[in-house]
Amino acid sequence: MTAPILSLNGVNRSFGPIQILFDVSIDLRPGEVHALIGENGAGKSTTMKIMSGYLAPTTGEVRLDQRPVAFGGSQNAEAQGVVLIHQEFNLAEQLSVEQNIFLGRELRRGLFLDKRAMRAQTATLLDRLQCRVHPDARVRDISNPDKQMVEIAKALGRNARVLIMDEPTAVLTNREAEVLFEQVDRLRSEGVAILFTSHKLDEVKRISDRVTVMRDGRVVLTAPTSEMTEDAMANAMVGREMSDLFPRRTTPLGGDVALRVRGLTVPGHAEDISFDLRRGEILGMAGLVGSGRTETMEGLVGLRRHVGQVEIEGRPVVIRSPREAQALGLVYLTEDRKGRGLVLNMGMRENLTLQSLPRFAQPFLDRTAEDAALDRAVRDFDIRAPSRAVRVRNLSGGNQQKLLIAKIMQADPRIVIIDEPTRGIDIGTKQQIYDFIHRLSGQGVSIIVISSELPEVIGLSDRVLVMRQGRLMGAVEGPAKTEDAIVRLAMGLDARTEGEAA
Amino acid sequence: MTTQATRASQQARPGHGINLHVLGPIVALVVLIVAGALMNSNFLSYANVTNVLARSAFIGIIAVGMTFVITAGGLDLSVGSMAAFIAGLMILVMNLLVPSMGAGISVILVGMVVALVAGLFAGLINGVLITRMRIEAFIVTLGTMGIYRSLVTWLADGGTLSLDFGLREAYEPVYYGGLFGISWPILTFLLVAILGEIVMRKTAFGRYCAAIGSNDQVARYSSVDVNRVRLLTYVGLGILVGVATIMYVPRLGSASAATGVLWELEAIAAVIIGGTMLKGGFGRVWGTVVGVLILSLIGNILNLTDWVSPYLNGAIQGVIIVLAVILQRESRPEG
């Protein structure tokens, strides 16, 4: 076994009086992919920031090439070959790929930029990653996986020996993630040490050599990935058995149709979508990212231009805006929690009531009623916040998601569309959200769940619609509701082309 | 980030930062008042105080409207030209009516209605171009700024539009008269400021403005009619420009190409000095009032003392504006 290139040795870290990391030891070896997993708030980010020089340990040591080192800043760490790639890309959108790769260390010949040398090096780097993006392409025009590759190329251009990636696949589709993994394989064989975090355990299993599990600021275990099952990882993260993640339906489904959609077309995204949603039903919506699921639903609630017939509880309706949809008891919860769901620089109260503000204004905003609503939401949804005055930006992903759900529930909807209910949140919170969705369904609220996670969409829904390239490919329910059946529909492998899946 | 980390940074950061943010403009105002009083004994005299306040009123009334526009993530560069154009239009219409209606109250009332309606439409045009045609507010209002300025020059044929002499006498009390020794412009400014503060803090509209300025996508997904709210901020500002013009016309009784020059910058500066975020998302009307007063006091103090030439008024105001923005940036909890 090779000697570690970068390691933490008994690291503690406190912020003010509060200790976040307790005696964390972890080591990265050249040519090895190391996965760091744990629930939100387990201390993964802090650990990564210490490894890459963004933070210093309070006590304990960081060792590079087996010698203690104090980075004193991320730039210094980068200069020594340790690079952290953030979840949100750190690229200048308006600049070209090449300009980004050399940003801050442009090659010069005398007074002028040495464009030929930079072009040659860029080509070499992109070749090495087998990335086919053009060096002159503007970063804002390229796809997410390409951006990721540019980030990696940028890191390699700075002679990175240790690459630390914070949830690199969170913004990628499965296919895009595959491309990333191929490059990770390549880097591994070139002797780069890689650490990454992910909430997707199948990925961890697929790509990593060793895995470290953190919980409550401590390392719970480090083991070769081959010796751990996904279940074992999940159990180690949560510290308890993860049985029955999905509650069972306890109330029988009625026959009334809450929402009937016929021939819904969202130009450029979805064509001729027809389905029925029964009262109290949980209807799953599966399909590859880009298959038009989100756009279909955004069309339905009036966020996008659309045509087609919609009936709510038997009455034909026309929905031109989310406001009109909400007046009809139909609300949509976006998948983009930070960009479209919450106003990050506002507090919990303002976010909670934004969707139904007229209810709190008669005509002046009733602060007491707003506070009472927040109290109720915090209790009902188990939102854990350091204080009521906290800005939503500073809540963890799971608590943000709970607040978002609480927010749309302020509208007292009869039909709820939830897009990716548990993206990027930990298993404990996931379970709470699943329970909540079931409670809601038990109260007769009809729910559509869009999800890219097959176990989720299968475990949660009564019935699953599958979309592919803007069309509805079919529905599966009962014993036919299997991952295999859904994947075949989503990939277009089945000959079945039902237009209608009532 | 971990929850504990969040908690720690919460405790460490905003506490005194936000207080500084709140207190900054007030402290600056108090310092100016104390400095003014020490430098010149006339500074706190009734005559000087009323004079400063009355002069602040025009910009102040406009700046209250501007606070909503900026809070909702917009900008309006056209207000100065708009005021000049409305003043010119108002004078033209009133002069035309004098022969038939006489130089009395009724003509003045018609003039006021003209000013309000013209302001409403001017704001509506800006708002529609920005929200329906989706053109940058900066570009739209830069364009209308040029248009109104050119229109008033054209109406005045390159010279000055003067109010009918008889009307002038009848209209003068609107600027020079008042109630309990407080002149109408000051009272109007006060009323507009109080209403503005209530709308900003206590109504759904004010909350929507802040939400839209922070992230209009979130507002859209939260069932807020984003375009309507934005449009209303421009319409409201237009109407307030009309109100300010109604107060302004009797002061000089004329309008020309030089009327209202740079008012837009003073109004925007007052809003920013008062602590409203230039890029939107947070606004406060009382801060804007403080901002207006700070700007007028600087000019007034320079006029009353001979330490610094009054010609440097603009330079000092500029420094204050830049300082205000620096203060804003440092007091923000996170970048």
Side-chain angles (χ1 to χ4, degrees), chain A residues 187-238:
Chain A
L187 294 171
R188 164 164 48 197
S189 62
E190 287 178 11
V192 177
I194 295 168
L195 176 82
F196 79 102
T197 60
S198 175
H199 283 292
K200 300 176 188 163
L201 297 182
D202 51 337
E203 262 174 35
V204 171
K205 189 75 188 154
R206 148 94 174 71
I207 191 69
S208 69
D209 302 306
R210 268 196 309 156
V211 56
T212 291
V213 183
M214 290 189 73
R215 187 169 74 226
D216 301 330
R218 293 183 167 81
V219 170
V220 181
L221 64 83
T222 298
T225 310
S226 55
E227 291 173 11
M228 290 196 74
T229 63
E230 289 178 35
D231 277 346
M233 292 181 205
N235 289 341
M237 279 165 62
V238 189

Side-chain angles (χ1 to χ4, degrees), chain A residues 399-413:
Chain A
N399 283 311
Q400 285 179 348
Q401 186 71 8
K402 289 180 189 171
L403 180 66
L404 192 51
I405 295 179
K407 168 184 149 179
I408 63 156
M409 294 315 296
Q410 289 294 316
D412 277 334

Side-chain angles (χ1 to χ4, degrees), chain A residues 42 45 49 79 171 188 210 331 337 458:
Chain A
S45 297
K49 283 181 183 159
V171 293
R188 164 164 48 197
R210 268 196 309 156
V331 294
R337 160 163 89 222
I458 290 170

Side-chain angles (χ1 to χ4, degrees), chain A residues 264 270 273-275 282-288 291-297 300 417-421 447-454 456-458 461 463-468 470-474 486:
Chain A
L264 178 72
I273 306 291
S274 300
F275 65 89
I282 303 177
L283 179 64
M285 194 123 197
L288 302 174
S291 61
R293 300 168 305 176
T294 295
E295 291 81 359
T296 304
M297 291 306 157
L300 181 61
I417 303 168
I418 309 184
D419 201 345
E420 301 289 2
I447 300 151
I448 298 176
V449 173
I450 303 176
S451 176
S452 298
E453 291 182 35
L454 286 179
E456 174 171 289
V457 81
I458 290 170
S461 335
R463 198 157 54 103
V464 180
L465 303 181
V466 186
M467 281 189 74
R468 174 173 185 269
R471 290 182 175 276
L472 206 52
M473 301 305 287
I486 293 175

